[in-house]
Amino acid sequence: MKSTIFTIILMTTMLNLFGQKKIEKEFRKISEKIYPVIKVQSNDFDSETVIEMIGENEPVFKKIAGNLLCFYGIDKGTHFELLLKKNIPKTISIEKLDSISQENLLKEIENKLQIHQTEFGGYGFTCGGEYEATLLTLPRIWKIIIEKLGNSIVFNVPSKDLIMFVSSDNKKGIEGLKNINNEIHKNGERLLSRNLFKYENGKIELYE
């Protein structure tokens, strides 16, 4: 009886180890194609960027603030396939995944990134129309914005291709962000959040 139990435990352990080795091998193949993907958790409008947390194969994600979420997508050329928990080796933490996806993003946008000043005293970035929203995951972007606007920032991310920032002291600028959100959500595409967000002391929170 003891021998049978030991054999079962040994086989289970070996299968688990084999499974992890396979996952690690597959992850290495895709690691250079993993990017942050910004989505919202909501059901108040129809959008490809809205996602509900259901099913067994849950994608890997972290909450940013409010209804804003950061997922991790594998670039398939024509679309991004969300990375699932079952595809992540146990040795890869969420912090390591952040580092991998951010490094890939920086390489992707390094020759495309442009900064623009708004008419209400803020700034926005463009980088080709696909990755603008994901810029909020990059510490380097926040360093640029802080140098220009100070340590307390209000920003919006109404769609995948739009992100804008103003100083939290700029009341006209904050109203400008609200107006842009309203306009984008009337007839825009690839919609994200209707909310405004605040960045201060390295943290993002919902702006009230």
Side-chain angles (χ1 to χ4, degrees):
M1 182 66 177
K2 289 183 179 179
S3 176
T4 301
I5 293 174
F6 175 77
T7 301
I8 292 172
I9 293 173
L10 180 61
M11 290 179 65
T12 301
T13 302
M14 291 179 64
L15 286 171
N16 288 337
L17 287 173
F18 177 77
Q20 275 299 305
K21 291 294 184 182
K22 183 178 180 180
I23 291 172
E24 289 172 3
K25 181 178 179 181
E26 292 300 317
F27 186 81
R28 284 195 295 270
K29 289 180 181 179
I30 62 172
S31 62
E32 293 184 355
K33 298 181 179 180
I34 296 174
Y35 295 86
V37 176
I38 304 301
K39 290 182 177 286
V40 289
Q41 185 177 17
S42 177
N43 57 8
D44 59 353
F45 57 85
D46 184 18
S47 169
E48 64 177 14
T49 54
V50 176
I51 188 161
E52 297 296 334
M53 305 306 155
I54 58 175
E56 295 180 359
N57 295 324
E58 186 178 52
V60 182
F61 74 96
K62 67 177 183 179
K63 184 172 182 177
I64 298 173
N67 62 349
L68 206 58
L69 307 171
C70 179
F71 290 76
Y72 305 88
I74 307 164
D75 184 2
K76 293 294 187 177
T78 58
H79 66 283
F80 285 93
E81 179 181 297
L82 293 184
L83 198 60
L84 305 180
K85 287 184 177 180
K86 68 179 183 180
N87 301 132
I88 305 297
K90 292 181 179 180
T91 54
I92 302 295
S93 65
I94 194 74
E95 291 78 16
K96 179 61 176 177
L97 199 54
D98 276 337
S99 177
I100 291 170
S101 64
Q102 291 168 15
E103 182 179 347
N104 291 339
L105 178 58
L106 283 169
K107 290 177 182 177
E108 179 66 30
I109 67 171
E110 62 181 349
N111 296 321
K112 304 175 185 177
L113 187 66
Q114 296 182 2
I115 187 169
H116 308 273
Q117 191 165 8
T118 71
E119 60 184 16
F120 46 77
Y123 290 90
F125 290 92
T126 56
C127 55
E130 185 64 43
Y131 297 101
E132 280 76 1
T134 64
L135 296 179
L136 66 87
T137 68
L138 298 177
R140 186 179 301 183
I141 293 296
W142 289 112
K143 183 178 180 181
I144 294 171
I145 290 299
I146 288 171
E147 288 175 353
K148 293 184 175 296
L149 296 174
N151 292 318
S152 184
I153 310 295
V154 176
F155 70 97
N156 68 350
V157 56
S159 61
K160 285 185 69 175
D161 58 356
L162 184 61
I163 186 168
M164 305 180 82
F165 310 82
V166 300
S167 167
S168 63
D169 295 327
N170 183 351
K171 302 305 179 185
K172 179 182 176 182
I174 291 171
E175 287 303 312
L177 295 183
K178 290 178 180 178
N179 291 336
I180 288 172
N181 278 2
N182 290 336
E183 288 300 314
I184 293 295
H185 278 265
K186 281 181 181 177
N187 49 24
E189 298 179 351
R190 301 193 297 171
L191 301 176
L192 287 173
S193 183
R194 300 177 187 271
N195 299 319
L196 296 184
F197 301 88
K198 185 176 182 179
Y199 178 91
E200 193 170 63
N201 298 322
K203 295 181 180 180
I204 295 174
E205 60 185 22
L206 198 61
Y207 178 76
E208 299 297 340

